[in-house]
Amino acid sequence: MIFIVLTILIITISAGGYKAYTYISEGLSPVDPDDNTIIEVEIPLGSSIDSIGNILEENNIINNATVFKYYVKFNNETGFQAGEYKLAKNMKLGEIVESLKTGKILVDPLFTVTIPEGTTIEQVADIFAEETSIKKKEFLNKMKKQKFVKSFIVKYPELLNEDEILKKGIRYPLEGYLFPLTYPFYEKDPTIEHVVNLMLEQTNKRIMTYQQDIIEKNMTVHEVITMASLIEEEAVSEEDRKMISEVFYNRMNNDPEMPLQTDPTVLYALGEHKDRVLYEDLEVDSPYNTYENKGLPIGPISNFRENALQAALFPEDLIISIS
């Protein structure tokens, strides 16, 4: 009888131990080691460890919220940040914790797309048509749809002014606002909405850094971005950009009757690239043509790098990028 009782007890303890081991081991393991599909997860401000674990489990990022909680406590992990995260089922618990602490994406992108400085929306459309499944015609059609543009005006009200970017004569409302950068993508077929939002987010980030400077210069965001685009297209080096910026402001402030007369606006008005701008080109009828119209053109003619933005705001001072 004693032998039977001891045997049952040993079996019970062993089974319990094995069950506990399996429970913990599964909780510590990736949900699916072979699935790198990106899942966007939002961690609200003030979330507790319990609620973070529950959110991760509900989004199928971890196997067990309880194991997550004890893993965090056992390793004395702190400093989790609120925000939107891109996570995947193949991530280990340690990688997930590190991402939540640093705010960094630890998953490798499927591919990247580089948008150079001085790129127009039509050139951006060409790049995405070549690098993704997005069709150029579809991209450009979206760029002209007011409903599409207005959805971003709502999202970025301090960046996008409806009266300025939807003014009659504007070729593409978001021209100049799609920031040049190398963008990572974590899904095979990104939507146009996702692509545009990524780029506007970066422009908004830069512009908000200089918000007070824009106010003090008594200019609108649209005017500053327009000036930055002219400087981007007209000059190469930082010193040249400061000089060109001074020339433009001197013409506008000291001699309002003198047009800016910058060739890149003529090329944009023509809608084509030419090695030489001819005299007859200077007479093209367009609100972008700075030979025929005084002051700034109706809108930007390309995107811009940050030092062009700085030259537009501080023509006399060399500012080091803080991005």
Side-chain angles (χ1 to χ4, degrees), residues 221-260:
V221 168
H222 187 71
E223 289 170 337
V224 170
I225 288 180
T226 300
M227 177 64 86
S229 74
L230 300 188
I231 295 168
E232 178 67 45
E233 292 297 294
E234 189 68 54
V236 177
S237 71
E238 290 189 22
E239 288 301 320
D240 286 344
R241 289 173 181 216
K242 290 194 301 175
M243 181 187 69
I244 290 295
S245 181
E246 287 189 64
V247 170
F248 286 159
Y249 280 117
N250 285 337
R251 287 182 182 176
M252 290 194 299
N253 298 330
N254 300 331
D255 189 359
E257 293 302 310
M258 183 178 182
L260 293 182

Side-chain angles (χ1 to χ4, degrees), residues 2-18:
I2 294 173
F3 175 77
I4 293 173
V5 170
L6 287 174
T7 300
I8 293 173
L9 185 61
I10 290 170
I11 292 172
T12 302
I13 293 172
S14 299
Y18 177 76

Side-chain angles (χ1 to χ4, degrees), residues 26-139:
E26 184 179 289
L28 293 173
S29 301
V31 172
D32 186 346
D34 300 319
D35 190 349
N36 64 351
T37 304
I38 293 298
I39 300 172
E40 294 189 3
V41 178
E42 182 176 359
I43 304 298
L45 191 65
S47 297
S48 65
I49 296 301
D50 284 339
S51 60
I52 291 174
N54 290 332
I55 290 170
L56 295 175
E57 185 176 343
E58 288 168 5
N59 284 274
N60 212 19
I61 299 297
I62 61 173
N63 287 308
N64 192 297
T66 302
V67 172
F68 173 82
K69 179 178 73 172
Y70 284 109
Y71 175 89
V72 168
K73 288 185 176 181
F74 180 79
N75 289 284
N76 198 29
E77 300 283 8
T78 57
F80 293 101
Q81 299 183 39
E84 295 183 357
Y85 291 88
K86 291 180 173 65
L87 305 170
K89 295 179 183 180
N90 68 344
M91 294 179 71
K92 298 176 182 177
L93 214 52
E95 292 175 327
I96 295 169
V97 168
E98 186 65 21
S99 183
L100 295 173
K101 286 171 60 180
T102 63
K104 294 180 180 178
I105 299 171
L106 301 180
V107 180
D108 292 330
L110 293 179
F111 63 96
T112 61
V113 175
T114 298
I115 304 299
E117 297 88 352
T119 306
T120 66
I121 275 183
E122 293 188 359
Q123 291 169 329
V124 170
D126 283 329
I127 292 169
F128 277 104
E130 185 176 337
E131 301 287 342
T132 73
S133 60
I134 295 172
K135 301 290 187 289
K136 179 179 179 178
K137 185 177 180 180
E138 182 185 3
F139 189 92

Side-chain angles (χ1 to χ4, degrees), residues 279-310:
Y279 181 77
E280 61 190 41
D281 296 332
L282 305 182
E283 298 177 350
V284 60
D285 183 18
S286 168
Y288 288 97
N289 184 358
T290 56
Y291 279 85
E292 293 291 312
N293 304 286
K294 300 177 182 68
L296 290 169
I298 192 171
I301 59 172
S302 73
N303 64 22
F304 56 92
R305 72 191 74 195
E306 190 168 352
N307 64 23
L309 173 63
Q310 292 168 346

